[in-house]
Amino acid sequence: MGKGTDKLYITHSEWASEDAYSASAGSGASKSNASIAPFKRLPFNFCAISLQPFNHPVCSPDGTIFDITNILPWLKKHGTNPVTGAPLKSNELIKLNFTKNDDGEMVDPVTYKVFTNNTHIVALKNTCNVFAYDTIERLNIKAKNWRDLVSEEDFSRKDIVTLQDPQNIESRNLSTFKYLQDGASTLTPEQQRERTDPSRNVNTTALGNGASLFKPPRKEQLPDINPDALANNRASIAKTLSSLSSSQPTTKSDPNKTTTPTDTATSNQPRALHTTGLAAASLTSTGLTPHTTADLASLSLESYLLVPRRVRTKGYCLLTLHPLSPSSPTSHQITLELHPEFAPKACWNFIQLAKKSYYDNLLFHRNIPNFMIQGGDPTGSGKGGASIWNRNFDDELEGPLSGKFDRRGMLAMANKGKNTNGSQFFLTYRPTPHLVRKHTVFGLVVLDDAASDAALRALEKVEGNEKSRPRRPVRIKEVAVLADPFERFLQDKEVRERGEREEEEVRRMGGREDERVTWTGKRVRLDGGVDGGGDGDVSGAGGVVGRYLKNDAVDGEGGGKAVMEEWEGGDGDEEERVKKKIKGGGGFGNFDGW
């Protein structure tokens, strides 16, 4: 019962000490209680400067979360972190991508666990994605898998920024915030004017007849609002948001920008052949919103197009060279035929880089006569170059081209080994069977074009040094995309889907005019009337009979009467019908034949 002892009583000194507590504490205990400031914890989803829920979250390098619309005016005025007082610049802010579930709650994008004030939350500085630390620890740190679990981009331990640590609650203690201790105002000039304006703080509806006596202050008594300053403030906020978005790449599927990964695909959005898995996940986890339907997972447009054998249309690019020598000012041109059917990623990478003018004014850094010429490296050393995704992509060795290398003028990706494709490519001067299934072939030089064949021969004649570098510069002027197979595929797909929608609309409205016929073969007009046939005219218009009448029984008007007589039993075969009726009677029959 005593402090640190096994005594069954409390001594007077223990009872009167400053660290005593409970209702039986002595008079000295009030001193310590009075000196301790009340602990107020800021929720993780609140801005540290406005103390309100954030809409556009960003964080400082130390993990303090702000709303971009609140922190920018403070940085312009003070240039410091309002919580710690340390210097802070706007370009140091990190945009945060939170994932939300169907209920609008912030969750971990991998485990879908809902974030609370007791969750250890971290963010990755280079990808801006927010995770639970437990997910990063189990799937990245312990597994030594230093790739973002959403965007698959590489990161290091230094890129992990702690946003909330339940073991360090002092980081969210409002009593330690410097701007609150100093009593600094965090209101913008517009907010200050709203608070000091009496006309906004008086409820005139409750004044009764006295409302007519209320006179708002004259305009000259209020400070003038500068519309230019207000516009500049809004423009600076938008500029900072765009700079943060461009400097810090978003994820490929980007579940945190404005949508959530639980959003199902729309009717016009491509869908995968597998489901989202939310029905099974919500069945086994109470942390997920219940889902009772197996919706197909949505695909990004890029993921949909880069499926082998989906885009079968060939593409064409025009590679223009600078003059190979001052004596011949002509610019050679090579027409390239791209095959996205078996190498969609390589074709997409080449086309998108060409559209960005990535290959313009680049050198061919390697030229080996009777073998190949290689280029596409911005550094010119043969060791640089990045793909459109800023990372290497896998080889695509299926298809007839990569399995042969049996002709001159093949366009293939250069690499440093397996699955290390970037931006470099090469053109062959002859068949190279030793390269089969080692490089991704995604196109051909159109040798039927005399200009392309002459340009390839002129490149082969350029001499190289002992390191196979051309002795005179061979430079690409530009790579122009003549026909984009992916755009053509999307256009054809849109036309096909539009036709299907029109067909469905026509079918829903009852079909086309020539298809609106009854079961007797009569055509139904658009006004609802029926064409052809009067009383007793079974044949309808044009001598066409119904579905259940024989065609050979109709021969003009006489044929119609014959059909009616046969149907009414007027053909004199009454006895045959009677015999059939007797034969089909019940009973055991006649046993005379036994």
Side-chain angles (χ1 to χ4, degrees):
M1 189 172 182
K3 294 183 179 180
T5 65
D6 56 354
K7 295 184 296 184
L8 301 180
Y9 59 91
I10 299 177
T11 63
H12 179 272
S13 60
E14 293 174 345
W15 176 77
S17 61
E18 293 185 356
D19 58 348
Y21 59 93
S22 80
S24 61
S27 59
S30 61
K31 298 179 181 179
S32 60
N33 292 338
S35 61
I36 298 177
F39 177 79
K40 294 182 179 179
R41 184 176 183 178
L42 181 68
F44 77 94
N45 59 338
F46 276 54
C47 172
I49 192 171
S50 67
L51 307 183
Q52 299 294 326
F54 51 68
N55 295 321
H56 307 285
V58 295
C59 75
S60 59
D62 61 351
T64 307
I65 304 178
F66 304 99
D67 194 299
I68 188 66
T69 58
N70 297 322
I71 188 61
L72 283 184
W74 174 275
L75 293 179
K76 284 187 176 181
K77 185 177 181 180
H78 302 279
T80 60
N81 189 328
V83 174
T84 62
L88 181 64
K89 298 180 180 179
S90 60
N91 57 3
E92 297 177 356
L93 297 176
I94 304 171
K95 184 180 178 182
L96 300 178
N97 296 326
F98 281 93
T99 305
K100 294 183 179 181
N101 58 12
D102 292 345
D103 297 332
E105 299 172 323
M106 299 180 185
V107 297
D108 182 273
V110 178
T111 62
Y112 295 102
K113 289 184 178 180
V114 179
F115 290 156
T116 65
N117 290 328
N118 298 320
T119 306
H120 193 171
I121 306 174
V122 297
L124 300 183
K125 187 183 300 183
N126 58 335
T127 63
C128 311
N129 294 325
V130 181
F131 300 89
Y133 180 75
D134 181 60
T135 302
I136 296 294
E137 183 182 23
R138 288 188 292 109
L139 301 181
N140 291 113
I141 299 176
K142 290 185 177 180
K144 296 182 180 180
N145 175 30
W146 298 102
R147 280 195 172 189
D148 191 302
L149 299 174
V150 175
S151 63
E152 297 184 356
E153 296 184 24
D154 296 335
F155 71 95
S156 62
R157 191 183 292 269
K158 296 181 180 179
D159 295 329
I160 300 177
V161 180
T162 300
L163 304 180
Q164 176 180 260
D165 186 1
Q167 303 297 330
N168 183 21
I169 59 177
E170 286 297 327
S171 61
R172 309 288 296 178
N173 189 2
L174 291 174
S175 60
T176 61
F177 287 9
K178 186 175 185 347
Y179 78 96
L180 294 179
Q181 294 176 351
D182 299 341
S185 175
T186 60
L187 300 177
T188 61
E190 293 80 7
Q191 293 173 339
Q192 291 179 355
R193 281 191 289 269
E194 290 180 359
R195 293 198 176 188
T196 56
D197 188 357
S199 61
R200 296 179 178 269
N201 300 323
V202 176
N203 186 6
T204 57
T205 59
L207 295 179
N209 295 331
S212 58
L213 303 177
F214 176 76
K215 295 181 180 180
R218 293 178 298 176
K219 293 183 179 181
E220 55 268 21
Q221 294 179 354
L222 296 175
D224 295 333
I225 299 177
N226 188 357
D228 297 335
L230 182 61
N232 292 335
N233 187 24
R234 294 175 178 174
S236 63
I237 292 176
K239 182 179 179 180
T240 303
L241 279 172
S242 61
S243 64
L244 289 175
S245 302
S246 59
S247 62
Q248 299 166 355
T250 57
T251 61
K252 184 166 54 180
S253 58
D254 205 4
N256 307 316
K257 285 195 282 189
T258 54
T259 60
T260 66
T262 57
D263 292 336
T264 56
T266 59
S267 58
N268 296 327
Q269 190 174 4
R271 300 194 181 200
L273 298 178
H274 56 84
T275 64
T276 58
L278 293 177
S282 62
L283 177 64
T284 58
S285 175
T286 58
L288 288 179
T289 303
H291 288 75
T292 58
T293 58
D295 298 326
L296 294 178
S298 60
L299 286 176
S300 64
L301 184 60
E302 181 178 315
S303 301
Y304 174 75
L305 291 175
L306 300 187
V307 175
R309 295 180 176 86
R310 172 158 289 164
V311 180
R312 302 175 182 268
T313 306
K314 297 179 182 179
Y316 293 91
C317 294
L318 185 64
L319 190 150
T320 306
L321 301 172
H322 282 285
L324 299 180
S325 63
S327 59
S328 59
T330 58
S331 297
H332 294 281
Q333 291 182 336
I334 301 176
T335 303
L336 304 176
E337 181 183 82
L338 307 183
H339 294 250
E341 182 177 0
F342 299 101
K345 292 182 181 179
C347 292
W348 176 274
N349 176 68
F350 187 82
I351 290 174
Q352 298 305 319
L353 291 178
K355 288 183 177 181
K356 292 174 56 178
S357 302
Y358 184 88
Y359 294 117
D360 293 0
N361 298 317
L362 296 189
L363 290 171
F364 281 103
H365 60 272
R366 190 181 181 195
N367 187 24
I368 304 176
N370 201 29
F371 180 31
M372 62 88 189
I373 184 170
Q374 181 176 338
D377 179 13
T379 64
S381 62
K383 300 179 180 180
S387 68
I388 192 65
W389 303 285
N390 292 321
R391 56 181 174 82
N392 296 333
F393 62 94
D394 296 343
D395 296 327
E396 297 169 303
L397 304 179
E398 301 297 330
L401 295 181
S402 295
K404 291 184 178 180
F405 264 104
D406 58 349
R407 56 160 286 177
R408 179 171 174 266
M410 302 194 78
L411 174 63
M413 296 298 300
N415 56 41
K416 297 176 290 185
K418 184 179 179 181
N419 299 331
T420 58
N421 298 294
S423 63
Q424 296 189 36
F425 63 93
F426 64 91
L427 299 170
T428 61
Y429 292 137
R430 67 175 182 85
T432 53
H434 62 283
L435 299 180
V436 170
R437 301 193 64 82
K438 294 182 179 179
H439 294 269
T440 300
V441 181
F442 63 97
L444 302 170
V445 175
V446 182
L447 297 178
D448 296 338
D449 182 15
S452 300
D453 185 59
L456 196 62
R457 296 182 184 278
L459 289 176
E460 189 175 5
K461 294 179 181 179
V462 177
E463 298 181 356
N465 56 17
E466 62 279 359
K467 295 183 179 180
S468 301
R469 294 185 65 88
R471 296 187 180 276
R472 59 175 184 268
V474 180
R475 192 179 298 274
I476 300 174
K477 185 176 182 180
E478 65 173 349
V479 178
V481 180
L482 302 180
D484 189 341
F486 301 100
E487 291 184 357
R488 177 65 181 274
F489 174 81
L490 292 177
Q491 293 174 359
D492 295 343
K493 181 174 177 291
E494 177 63 25
V495 172
R496 185 170 61 255
E497 290 180 349
R498 189 186 304 115
E500 292 176 355
R501 289 194 297 267
E502 293 176 355
E503 290 287 343
E504 179 65 20
E505 182 67 18
V506 171
R507 187 193 64 79
R508 190 179 64 84
M509 297 299 295
R512 291 187 174 87
E513 184 178 357
D514 56 348
E515 296 176 350
R516 296 166 60 91
V517 294
T518 65
W519 67 273
T520 59
K522 298 180 180 180
R523 185 169 59 87
V524 181
R525 297 191 303 269
L526 295 178
D527 58 357
V530 180
D531 290 340
D535 295 335
D537 186 7
V538 184
S539 62
V544 181
V545 300
R547 300 180 182 179
Y548 306 103
L549 300 180
K550 298 180 180 180
N551 294 331
D552 56 357
V554 179
D555 186 12
E557 297 180 356
K561 293 181 180 180
V563 171
M564 293 299 296
E565 292 177 356
E566 181 180 357
W567 180 68
E568 294 176 354
D571 54 354
D573 295 339
E574 183 70 23
E575 296 181 359
E576 183 178 356
R577 288 197 298 271
V578 172
K579 290 181 181 180
K580 291 182 179 180
K581 185 174 182 181
I582 295 174
K583 184 177 180 181
F588 293 96
N590 191 357
F591 296 93
D592 294 340
W594 281 31

